[in-house]
Amino acid sequence: MTSVVAVVEAVNLEKTYMLGKVAVNALRGVNLKVETGDFVSILGPSGSGKSTLLNMIGALDKPTGGKLLVEGTDVSGLNDNQLSDLRRRIGFVFQFFNLIHRITARENVELSMSIAGVSKSERRRRAEEVLDTVGLKERMNHKPRELSGGEQQRVAIARALANDPKFFLMDEPTGNIDSKNANEIIDLVKKLNEQRSVTIIMVTHDQHLAMQTKRILQMFDGAIVKEIVT
Amino acid sequence: MKVGDVFSYAFGGIRLRKLRAGLTTLGVVIGIAAIVALLSITQGLQTTITRQLQTGLATDTLIVTTGRGLDAGIGGGFGGTDSGFALLINDTETINELQNVETSLAIIQRTGYIQSDNKTWFTNIVGVDFAKYASIYSNTFVAESGSIPLNPGSGTVVIGKLVSAPWNNETILFNSGDTVALLWTNATARPPRNETHTSQIAAVLKEVGGFGFGGPSDSNVYIPISDAENFFGTNECDSIIVKLTNGDATTVDSVSKAISDAFDGEVSAISATAVLSLLSSVFSIIQLFLGGIAAISLLVAGIGIMNIMIVSLMERTREIGILKALGMRSRTVLLIFLCESVIIGLIGAIIGIASGWGLANVVAVFLGRGGIFMGGANQSAGTGGLTITPVLTAPLLLGALAFGVGVSVIFAIYPAWRASKLKPVEALRYE
């Protein structure tokens, strides 16, 4: 187990926003290590900094202090293009799905591969494959508005899977879905983690949901205050 | 992201907002159509006028008129002078003595009517020496029916094709052998009086098609110069046509100068080539002017594009956030927006060129039918007039295309740049 590089490692990570003239310390020294195959939930009340942390890990934003290593690379040293390239290897799943409404489910999945420069035929094949994995092969030619919340989230998971990401980042993935569908989503995510060793970092304020994961990191006021291994 | 994918993504974005994209495109269409229509008509007009001038155009002829010539401007050249100087019919003798002059011929003309029975036609009555005229304009002063007498007796008239058959159909107003009365109003007489001159039509001219430089015209009637002197009661002529021994530029210049000197600078000798080059420079100015006006409408279209793109940018902020979260580079976002403007510009320019071309042809038909341009004094309404064939040259076509796309892209740069600079976190949060 020597020299195993963590998928994500945060060392004393800080993020300060300027909200008008007031400096807001969203993250005050977060330490975190996520390894391949992990299923980590970050639990905390709103304003605790969990979404900020997720944005940092997702290379959507840069930290203002400390170190954040994604597969050994320090994110704060990357330029705009390098950050974009890194994002292609991260599977995002958002609370509000963030699908593009004018194109079909399959085209949404293909879009992320098209951004990564995958050829058209390969995109098509792979999109069908991952949509099959999430159980939506029959409805792949529907547009997001024609799908239920649960189905839309499964499209989003398929899209995240498409580029074979280093890890999944989920931001309240069941926050906008009814409980029955939420359970299906969680089962799907757990299956991906258990059967395919997909590394998952999930942000939630839902205690019940967090209990389904392997590790729970409790955040409060910009720092991780407690870790629970379930 | 591959270029083709960028393009198809941009196209999808346009397709979604069909109405808005359509209206934006319409702006480009109107701008380009205006440019293409105006310029192709002007170019067609220039071609037509040049061609008509060149019909029977001889580089070895000069037209001598009173006045200071083209250098003093068109008014000075073609209008009279205030000095009271007048060219006389026998001034041809002075000109004939100059070097490199083969022959010269005096022209007197008045507007008037040709009449027989109850038929009256408005025309230009021109007095010329038939033999000399036929030798200088051997291709155009040719009879279609009857024959042109080279040594005509008094009371002979030769009529142009459009005087014989003004509507270009079977209706013949006057024909060879008819006896007709020519009328003009002498307005300088006190009191003004109508003069009549009875003639027999010796010949109908073959269709000339243009308004040759000093040469025969389809809508004129020709009488012998001696008849004209009596009929018009004058020994002054309106112009003298000079045939040179050759058409070299140096000959043209030296004879022009010699003629001007011979009459103490009171006359000017204009060559056909000088008229053509003046015409060409006049048309360049017209084209520049009309093109400029049309370009303004395209500029307005450009601002429309910018406006629409900024609105579209706000609507799509979240979409841009998603694209960036999925790893799209800023430059690709920029390209997508620019691509949309290229598509709008391209479609707008293509439709604009097509509709501008259509418009030009419709306008040309109306101009031709109404005879607006040439219909004036020589012909009554309803005659063939001027046929303009709009000309769409390759530079105009490509220029319009490039201009349409160029304007679209230039005005899309700012919105595209703003889109590319959006921060993913903020864009995703945008409602």
Side-chain angles (χ1 to χ4, degrees):
Chain A
M1 286 294 282
T2 52
S3 80
V4 169
V5 178
V7 179
V8 176
E9 186 175 3
V11 183
N12 212 15
L13 194 66
E14 287 176 18
K15 177 72 182 179
T16 308
Y17 287 114
M18 290 304 290
L19 210 65
K21 283 180 181 172
V22 187
V24 178
N25 298 315
L27 297 180
R28 313 161 181 253
V30 172
N31 290 292
L32 166 83
K33 200 168 188 175
V34 180
E35 274 160 12
T36 309
D38 257 354
F39 190 0
V40 183
S41 59
I42 300 169
L43 191 66
S46 54
S48 60
K50 56 188 192 307
S51 284
T52 306
L53 177 60
L54 202 76
N55 287 340
M56 300 296 129
I57 300 172
L60 292 169
D61 209 348
K62 276 189 181 183
T64 48
K67 261 209 286 200
L68 176 66
L69 306 172
V70 175
E71 287 207 322
T73 311
D74 192 351
V75 170
S76 51
L78 300 180
N79 65 25
D80 199 37
N81 281 344
Q82 289 167 322
L83 285 174
S84 296
D85 295 349
L86 176 61
R87 272 178 236 137
R88 294 178 195 169
R89 309 277 292 148
I90 298 172
F92 286 97
V93 177
F94 302 93
Q95 180 180 358
F96 298 103
F97 327 130
N98 279 341
L99 298 174
I100 292 176
H101 288 275
R102 64 179 157 89
I103 55 179
T104 65
R106 198 190 61 213
E107 286 165 339
N108 264 287
V109 176
E110 283 188 29
L111 179 61
S112 67
M113 288 185 277
S114 138
I115 290 170
V118 178
S119 75
K120 198 160 189 163
S121 55
E122 172 63 12
R123 287 202 307 251
R124 182 151 289 217
R125 188 195 65 74
R126 179 94 177 124
E128 284 183 22
E129 185 186 306
V130 290
L131 280 162
D132 195 28
T133 306
V134 300
L136 269 182
K137 199 176 177 186
E138 276 69 44
R139 296 184 59 75
M140 67 181 182
N141 288 322
H142 288 265
K143 291 189 174 171
R145 282 188 217 285
E146 298 157 7
L147 301 173
S148 73
E151 285 171 328
Q152 288 189 49
Q153 196 60 299
R154 280 193 273 166
V155 175
I157 291 170
R159 178 177 70 184
L161 269 172
N163 278 334
D164 195 16
K166 297 174 200 292
F167 58 92
F168 264 56
L169 278 182
M170 298 187 164
D171 188 2
E172 304 275 11
T174 58
N176 225 27
I177 304 172
D178 64 82
S179 59
K180 181 181 164 287
N181 277 305
N183 285 333
E184 280 178 24
I185 293 290
I186 286 307
D187 287 345
L188 173 64
V189 172
K190 279 170 81 172
K191 206 170 81 185
L192 289 173
N193 175 252
E194 283 158 12
Q195 295 179 358
R196 302 190 174 204
S197 303
V198 175
T199 312
I200 298 165
I201 303 168
M202 180 171 77
V203 158
T204 183
H205 62 267
D206 181 349
Q207 201 125 22
H208 171 73
L209 185 60
M211 290 303 285
Q212 314 270 327
T213 64
K214 291 177 183 168
R215 292 164 66 196
I216 304 170
L217 304 175
Q218 185 93 47
M219 268 192 96
F220 189 75
D221 212 7
I224 292 171
V225 290
K226 195 162 90 180
E227 170 161 359
I228 304 159
V229 179
T230 56
Chain B
M1 202 166 176
K2 295 190 173 80
V3 179
D5 292 332
V6 169
F7 210 76
S8 71
Y9 191 83
F11 197 71
I14 290 176
R15 243 181 18 193
L16 185 73
R17 292 172 294 275
K18 281 191 199 81
L19 179 65
R20 204 191 300 163
L23 290 174
T24 316
T25 311
L26 190 63
V28 181
V29 169
I30 291 170
I32 292 291
I35 289 179
V36 169
L38 287 173
L39 295 190
S40 66
I41 286 180
T42 319
Q43 214 143 47
L45 196 61
Q46 182 175 7
T47 310
T48 306
I49 291 177
T50 309
R51 197 180 46 227
Q52 294 210 341
L53 270 177
Q54 282 167 335
T55 308
L57 170 106
T59 51
D60 58 354
T61 49
L62 292 175
I63 295 183
V64 180
T65 53
T66 55
R68 278 161 299 135
L70 292 178
D71 295 340
I74 299 171
F78 293 114
T81 54
D82 297 323
S83 69
F85 178 86
L87 271 174
L88 301 178
I89 293 169
N90 57 17
D91 280 339
T92 51
E93 286 161 23
T94 316
I95 292 171
N96 284 342
E97 281 164 18
L98 297 170
Q99 243 192 345
N100 288 323
V101 171
E102 195 177 294
T103 184
S104 66
L105 148 138
I107 288 182
I108 315 180
Q109 58 179 23
R110 299 287 183 270
T111 51
Y113 295 90
I114 176 170
Q115 213 171 43
S116 86
D117 304 330
N118 54 350
K119 295 172 286 189
T120 303
W121 196 252
F122 187 61
T123 185
N124 232 11
I125 305 164
V126 183
V128 287
D129 181 320
F130 282 11
K132 279 187 184 171
Y133 206 52
S135 79
I136 295 175
Y137 297 102
S138 54
N139 293 324
T140 46
F141 198 62
V142 176
E144 185 183 73
S145 67
S147 69
I148 300 169
L150 293 185
N151 194 9
S154 180
T156 307
V157 63
V158 169
I159 66 172
K161 179 70 181 163
L162 281 175
V163 177
S164 170
W167 296 282
N168 270 326
N169 56 19
E170 300 82 41
T171 313
I172 306 289
L173 284 188
F174 310 100
N175 215 339
S176 301
D178 291 0
T179 301
V180 292
L182 301 177
L183 293 94
W184 78 288
T185 305
N186 186 350
T188 52
R190 290 286 170 266
R193 63 174 182 272
N194 291 326
E195 307 277 6
T196 312
H197 172 69
T198 307
S199 298
Q200 192 178 27
I201 299 175
V204 175
L205 292 179
K206 205 177 68 180
E207 188 171 355
V208 177
F211 51 103
F213 182 69
S217 159
D218 290 328
S219 45
N220 290 353
V221 303
Y222 297 88
I223 57 176
I225 189 80
S226 50
D227 277 9
E229 267 189 85
N230 295 329
F231 185 30
F232 299 140
T234 181
N235 62 349
E236 293 175 5
C237 67
D238 295 285
S239 55
I240 293 174
I241 293 172
V242 182
K243 167 106 168 149
L244 308 177
T245 50
N246 63 68
D248 296 347
T250 48
T251 311
V252 170
D253 285 349
S254 69
V255 176
S256 297
K257 193 173 180 305
I259 291 172
S260 180
D261 289 348
F263 293 94
D264 297 328
E266 295 281 7
V267 301
S268 61
I270 307 152
S271 67
T273 36
V275 171
L276 282 181
S277 81
L278 178 77
L279 199 70
S280 148
S281 64
V282 166
F283 270 105
S284 307
I285 294 168
I286 292 174
Q287 288 208 344
L288 204 66
F289 177 70
L290 291 179
I293 291 175
I296 289 172
S297 68
L298 200 60
L299 210 66
V300 174
I303 293 167
I305 290 174
M306 186 145 147
N307 191 6
I308 287 300
M309 286 219 139
I310 289 175
V311 172
S312 153
L313 163 79
M314 287 170 180
E315 279 179 357
R316 292 160 76 187
T317 299
R318 200 184 170 101
E319 179 183 330
I320 294 161
I322 296 169
L323 293 176
K324 286 202 154 185
L326 292 176
M328 186 178 280
R329 288 184 174 191
S330 299
R331 205 187 51 190
T332 312
V333 174
L334 185 91
L335 276 179
I336 284 174
F337 272 72
L338 289 183
C339 247
E340 287 187 14
S341 71
V342 167
I343 293 168
I344 286 175
L346 206 62
I347 293 174
I350 289 170
I351 298 175
I353 289 168
S355 45
W357 178 239
L359 190 71
N361 279 289
V362 169
V363 169
V365 166
F366 275 101
L367 277 182
R369 187 178 296 165
I372 293 167
F373 214 78
M374 283 303 297
N378 289 354
Q379 292 152 234
S380 300
T383 52
L386 189 68
T387 40
I388 302 166
T389 314
V391 177
L392 189 60
T393 56
L396 176 58
L397 188 92
L398 296 177
L401 206 63
F403 199 43
V405 175
V407 166
S408 308
V409 171
I410 285 169
F411 281 94
I413 287 176
Y414 172 70
W417 175 81
R418 256 183 58 176
S420 76
K421 287 294 156 205
L422 283 174
K423 289 199 166 22
V425 179
E426 287 160 25
L428 279 173
R429 225 183 279 138
Y430 192 88
E431 287 301 322

